[in-house]
Amino acid sequence: MPVTIAAMTGPDLAKQLFHAFENNDLERARECCAENFRGSQNGGPEMDRDRLLQFTGVVNAVVPDFRYEEAIRSATETGFVEEHRVRGTLPDGGQIDLMVCVVGEVSDGKITVLREYVDTAAAAGLMKALSSA
């Protein structure tokens, strides 16, 4: 019997969310996130759940082999921390290989906050491809 989202720990919920992102399963990703979800990248402007899902869809369209590798997940008092590599092939044939750290907060079995930190210089190729999409 599958475990419901509401019964998952922070690290298990993170695993489900990033698996959904990787597979462009936006409905599953929506199930992982609270209605009042807020996310940010490198302390930038906040995005709500719908904006996060839209962004994920664009990334998957631009990088069809988008994936997370070498994930290390840890529980925290309020949710989880995950470090992982983001890999994939850009439209120009270049490769993405980014180290990313994500801090998540969980409440009532849903992710309420994601704060993602990534080296913007290393992400330049991805950002260029996304701006052209």
Side-chain angles (χ1 to χ4, degrees):
M1 176 180 211
V3 176
T4 63
I5 297 263
M8 291 184 187
T9 66
D12 291 335
L13 196 52
K15 183 177 181 179
Q16 286 294 311
L17 180 69
F18 292 116
H19 180 76
F21 286 165
E22 188 174 63
N23 291 289
N24 205 27
D25 184 349
L26 302 183
E27 278 311 306
R28 184 66 169 174
R30 179 182 301 280
E31 291 173 11
C32 293
C33 297
E35 227 176 277
N36 63 342
F37 170 89
R38 292 289 174 256
S40 65
Q41 295 174 315
N42 291 345
E46 283 191 345
M47 65 178 92
D48 63 14
R49 182 175 64 180
D50 289 338
R51 178 73 180 118
L52 172 71
L53 298 175
Q54 179 185 24
F55 177 77
T56 299
V58 172
V59 169
N60 276 284
V62 170
V63 185
D65 64 341
F66 177 84
R67 62 197 182 277
Y68 298 99
E69 296 180 354
E70 302 173 25
I72 301 169
R73 293 178 201 92
S74 302
T76 66
E77 287 184 24
T78 58
F80 62 89
V81 172
E82 176 166 320
E83 298 170 74
H84 54 238
R85 292 185 95 96
V86 172
R87 291 191 168 135
T89 306
L90 297 168
D92 67 3
Q95 296 295 305
I96 303 167
D97 186 2
L98 305 173
M99 287 299 303
V100 178
C101 180
V102 180
V103 178
E105 295 180 23
V106 175
S107 180
D108 297 324
K110 301 278 186 175
I111 298 169
T112 56
V113 175
L114 278 183
R115 293 183 304 274
E116 179 181 67
Y117 301 96
V118 62
D119 177 357
T120 54
L126 175 60
M127 299 315 289
K128 180 180 175 187
L130 291 175
S131 69
S132 300

